[in-house]
């Protein structure tokens, strides 16, 4: 006889707990984060490993530090090179896999822009002057001068520049 009341009590407790957490994130209210916005982070284009001559490869590190409420970086960064009337949206590096990173205030992430230097005045070279960076899920951008020479292209100007996935910086 004693087993039935205990079973009923355990079942009732389980139902109450299930009702309290009905699939939502009620335990995390206020802690969930939305997509990082370019206006809420500081962006720094670091010291580059320059491509000195046409056909050489260079790499430019880009650091992002959250300056506001917790946010998430999911998918790849956006980067566009502009030179005169020509623009080139950078593709993700072949084989790179995006990861989801949560950044609280003060946390940093980075990515790398890899490029093949083009020949000055070459048919598919992009004489880039500006680098525009956007974050996943946003359209606002931040611009930086491009000081790394023309970018090569195989089928169109500048198509030989790529972005890596975001990587967590620090712990």
């Amino acid at each position: 006889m004693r087993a039935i009341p205990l079973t009923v009590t355990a079942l009732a407790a389980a139902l109450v707990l299930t009702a309290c957490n009905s699939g939502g994130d009620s335990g995390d209210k206020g802690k969930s984060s939305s997509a990082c916005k370019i206006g809420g982070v500081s962006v720094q284009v670091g010291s580059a490993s320059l491509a000195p001559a046409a056909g050489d490869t260079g790499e430019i590190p880009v650091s992002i530090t959250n300056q506001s409420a917790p946010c998430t970086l999911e998918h790849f960064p956006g980067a566009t090179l502009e030179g005169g009337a020509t623009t080139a949206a950078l593709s993700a590096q072949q084989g790179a896999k995006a990861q989801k990173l949560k950044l609280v205030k003060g946390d940093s992430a980075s990515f790398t822009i890899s490029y093949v230097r083009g020949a000055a005045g070459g048919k598919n070279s992009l004489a880039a002057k500006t680098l525009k960076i956007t974050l996943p899920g946003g359209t606002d951008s931040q611009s930086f001068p491009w000081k790394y020479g023309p970018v090569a292209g195989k089928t169109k100007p500048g198509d030989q520049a790529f972005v890596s996935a975001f990587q967590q910086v620090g712990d």
Side-chain angles (χ1 to χ4, degrees):
M1 279 295 193
R2 193 109 164 98
I4 293 175
L6 286 176
T7 304
V8 170
T9 303
L11 181 59
L15 289 173
V16 167
L17 289 174
T18 302
C20 289
N21 190 8
S22 59
D25 63 346
S26 59
D28 291 328
K29 279 195 176 173
K31 294 181 184 177
S32 63
S33 57
S34 58
C36 294
K37 306 286 186 222
I38 200 83
V41 301
S42 65
V43 180
Q44 194 169 41
V45 177
S47 299
S49 169
L50 296 177
D56 291 341
T57 301
E59 294 187 335
I60 301 134
V62 179
S63 300
I64 295 167
T65 303
N66 187 10
Q67 302 294 323
S68 59
C71 63
T72 302
L73 293 171
E74 190 170 8
H75 305 295
F76 287 91
T80 303
L81 292 174
E82 298 178 343
T86 306
T87 63
L90 280 53
S91 301
Q93 282 179 327
Q94 187 174 3
K97 295 192 186 305
Q99 59 181 327
K100 184 176 183 177
L101 298 178
K102 291 186 179 182
L103 302 179
V104 296
K105 186 174 183 176
D107 281 354
S108 297
S110 67
F111 68 94
T112 301
I113 297 171
S114 299
Y115 72 101
V116 175
R117 185 161 182 153
K123 177 183 174 191
N124 280 335
S125 290
L126 172 60
K129 299 292 182 207
T130 305
L131 166 66
K132 284 192 173 184
I133 295 175
T134 59
L135 298 180
T139 57
D140 292 341
S141 65
Q142 192 167 349
S143 296
F144 299 89
W146 180 265
K147 308 179 232 178
Y148 315 110
V151 178
K154 283 188 178 179
T155 60
K156 60 184 180 180
D159 69 1
Q160 292 298 290
F162 307 95
V163 294
S164 71
F166 287 108
Q167 299 293 319
Q168 191 82 42
V169 174
D171 301 31

